[in-house]
Amino acid sequence: MRRIRKILSLCLIVIMLSNTVIFGEINVNNNIKGALLGDLETGEILYEYNIDEQLAMASITKLMTYLLMMEAVEEEKISLNDDVVISGHAASTEGSSFGILSGETLSLDTLVKGMLIVSGNDCATAIAEHVGGTVDNFVNMMNEKASELGLLSASFINPHGLPINDAETGQNHMSISDIYKLVRHILTNYPKLLEITKQQELIIEERNYQKEATNPLLTVLEGVDGLKTGYTDKAGLCLVSTLPVTGNGQDYRLIAIIMGAQTHEERINKSTELLKYGMNNYSQQKLVDMSQPIDKVYISNSKKGKIDVFPATDLNKMVGNEDIVKIEVTYNDTVNAPLIKGDKIGTISVYINEEETKQIDAVVGEDVKKANIFIRIYRFLLNIFGN
């Protein structure tokens, strides 16, 4: 079989509401240390600014604390129903506080809510002691987990993000790109986190406690259901926010990160602008579906003749409203029967705006038997003399 390229036309129809504001492009880079907008499922980055510099991360730290705690729960080492006796060290943790008292007993579940909704540093310390035995041991666990996840920029000195002093070594650090990786890992493995972070206030009746969540976007942009705020003098005002995009055939989740904003208004406005930009200018499309044949190919020595060709895997991509998508199938120089289901016979190349973004194996979707001698002679004669 000769090497053949087939270009398949792909039309993407994006349904936009008539009152939707469309941003051709945005720039949120002024007066911040870095920013990122990305998709949870695909990991695609739709907007970025200074995402690889190691930055002070303040209370964004608590996402790693949550991850280690949930892994311990999953391994049945601890339970969210555990009663935790609060140590003097935890109760005296400075900075943002849930107001826990030395010697009192609280459920681990309550401490988690106090850590994530109102950013209690004291809760983070108590959780660290419960999971790791000591804070020092827990911090070692944090750094080991960061290494395991490939978060090469991460450096932790405590479970909450409060700086020890003004020196660089007294801060927890991570790059925005690694924060994005961490958030994707947590939301993929522990999506129930959002049931906590979507709460606009924390109410604990038995403690006569009521306080608004630290995440300002929960009441500003409809649909936002997380994730974590942070602030120190060194880090500036930080926010990891997220929301699901559904309807009109869409079902994906955006993640926005703003680090080092100078004012509360800038943190809110820039986070909102990122998320709206993602919602209004992109859609997630299944460009290649492994359950659907992408082409038919004629294999001259096969029993059936024409054989359905399938992608070896699905391909979901975030596609801009004005992007042009092209799919090209290139077949191997030689494709002959017999073949086994799943055998590669070519390559599917996906282009967005003329740039190749992905290659996927083109495979046969069934066993392909070799034609007997009589069928091959018949096809040979048909090829010579015509129909």
Side-chain angles (χ1 to χ4, degrees):
M1 176 179 175
R2 293 182 294 106
R3 191 173 183 82
I4 298 174
R5 285 188 175 89
K6 288 189 178 180
I7 297 176
L8 309 177
S9 298
L10 181 65
C11 296
L12 300 178
I13 301 174
V14 182
I15 301 173
M16 306 302 299
L17 300 178
S18 59
N19 63 347
T20 298
V21 178
I22 309 300
F23 299 96
E25 57 182 60
I26 59 169
N27 186 339
V28 300
N29 302 354
N30 295 331
N31 300 318
I32 62 172
K33 294 182 178 179
L36 181 148
L37 175 70
D39 172 57
L40 170 63
E41 179 185 346
T42 66
E44 292 177 80
I45 295 175
L46 309 178
Y47 184 93
E48 63 178 271
Y49 166 58
N50 194 34
I51 65 172
D52 294 322
E53 180 184 354
Q54 190 185 52
L55 300 172
M57 62 189 301
S59 283
I60 307 300
T61 296
K62 291 168 181 142
L63 293 175
M64 177 62 86
T65 299
Y66 175 81
L67 172 60
L68 288 174
M69 183 212 68
M70 286 304 299
E71 287 185 344
V73 169
E74 189 174 52
E75 294 167 6
E76 299 185 347
K77 295 177 180 177
I78 60 173
S79 166
L80 289 170
N81 296 321
D82 286 352
D83 289 329
V84 180
V85 179
I86 305 303
S87 70
H89 178 58
S92 63
T93 306
E94 297 180 348
S96 55
S97 171
F98 178 57
I100 58 179
L101 303 173
S102 178
E104 75 170 314
T105 300
L106 291 172
S107 71
L108 181 59
D109 182 64
T110 297
L111 291 172
V112 172
K113 292 174 181 175
M115 177 178 73
L116 294 176
I117 300 173
V118 298
S119 201
N121 291 341
D122 47 0
C123 293
T125 300
I127 291 169
E129 291 176 339
H130 187 65
V131 175
T134 66
V135 170
D136 287 344
N137 186 53
F138 187 81
V139 170
N140 289 335
M141 293 168 62
M142 296 173 81
N143 286 304
E144 289 172 1
K145 177 54 64 174
S147 178
E148 178 187 321
L149 295 176
L151 310 178
L152 302 182
S153 69
S155 175
F156 294 101
I157 60 170
N158 62 45
H160 43 68
L162 185 71
I164 294 177
N165 52 51
D166 291 333
E168 281 293 319
T169 56
Q171 311 274 336
N172 292 338
H173 290 88
M174 197 184 298
S175 69
I176 292 175
S177 58
D178 279 347
I179 291 172
Y180 179 49
K181 292 176 189 175
L182 175 63
V183 170
R184 289 186 62 227
H185 179 81
I186 293 172
L187 291 182
T188 299
N189 290 280
Y190 304 106
K192 286 188 177 181
L193 164 66
L194 297 167
E195 294 299 314
I196 300 173
T197 60
K198 72 179 183 181
Q199 297 180 40
Q200 297 182 10
E201 62 179 354
L202 178 59
I203 300 174
I204 309 293
E205 292 182 356
E206 58 269 28
R207 292 176 62 85
N208 194 29
Y209 183 93
Q210 183 173 354
K211 190 174 181 179
E212 289 185 357
T214 59
N215 186 350
L217 239 59
L218 295 173
T219 56
V220 171
L221 183 59
E222 184 178 359
V224 170
D225 52 9
L227 195 61
K228 191 67 196 75
T229 55
Y231 171 74
T232 65
D233 289 342
K234 179 71 177 178
L237 289 153
C238 307
L239 176 59
V240 177
S241 54
T242 182
L243 62 75
V245 179
T246 57
N248 294 328
Q250 294 299 301
D251 184 11
Y252 63 94
R253 176 172 290 276
L254 293 170
I255 298 167
I257 303 173
I258 292 288
M259 298 292 283
Q262 301 303 300
T263 68
H264 290 282
E265 290 75 17
E266 281 188 334
R267 178 171 68 171
I268 292 172
N269 293 340
K270 291 176 185 294
S271 297
T272 300
E273 190 172 357
L274 278 177
L275 290 170
K276 283 187 174 181
Y277 173 77
M279 287 189 290
N280 295 334
N281 288 274
Y282 288 88
S283 59
Q284 191 183 100
Q285 303 288 340
K286 179 166 279 190
L287 301 184
V288 173
D289 187 342
M290 64 184 297
S291 69
Q292 299 296 323
I294 197 166
D295 194 19
K296 282 183 177 291
V297 65
Y298 179 72
I299 301 177
S300 60
N301 75 331
S302 68
K303 186 175 181 179
K304 284 183 65 174
K306 283 193 172 182
I307 305 298
D308 284 335
V309 179
F310 290 81
T313 61
D314 292 334
L315 177 61
N316 292 331
K317 289 281 292 179
M318 298 298 293
V319 179
N321 294 348
E322 298 180 358
D323 287 344
I324 298 173
V325 179
K326 182 178 73 174
I327 296 178
E328 181 179 280
V329 183
T330 305
Y331 292 104
N332 298 343
D333 291 331
T334 303
V335 179
N336 290 316
L339 296 166
I340 299 173
K341 180 180 179 180
D343 277 352
K344 178 182 176 181
I345 62 170
T347 301
I348 301 165
S349 298
V350 179
Y351 296 85
I352 296 181
N353 300 327
E354 300 301 324
E355 179 180 348
E356 187 177 44
T357 62
K358 188 73 174 179
Q359 283 192 348
I360 297 170
D361 288 348
V363 302
V364 292
E366 59 183 313
D367 291 344
V368 180
K369 296 181 179 180
K370 191 173 182 179
N372 61 40
I373 187 64
F374 301 106
I375 293 175
R376 285 149 59 194
I377 291 172
Y378 170 75
R379 288 177 183 163
F380 175 75
L381 295 174
L382 189 65
N383 187 51
I384 292 175
F385 297 109
N387 295 322

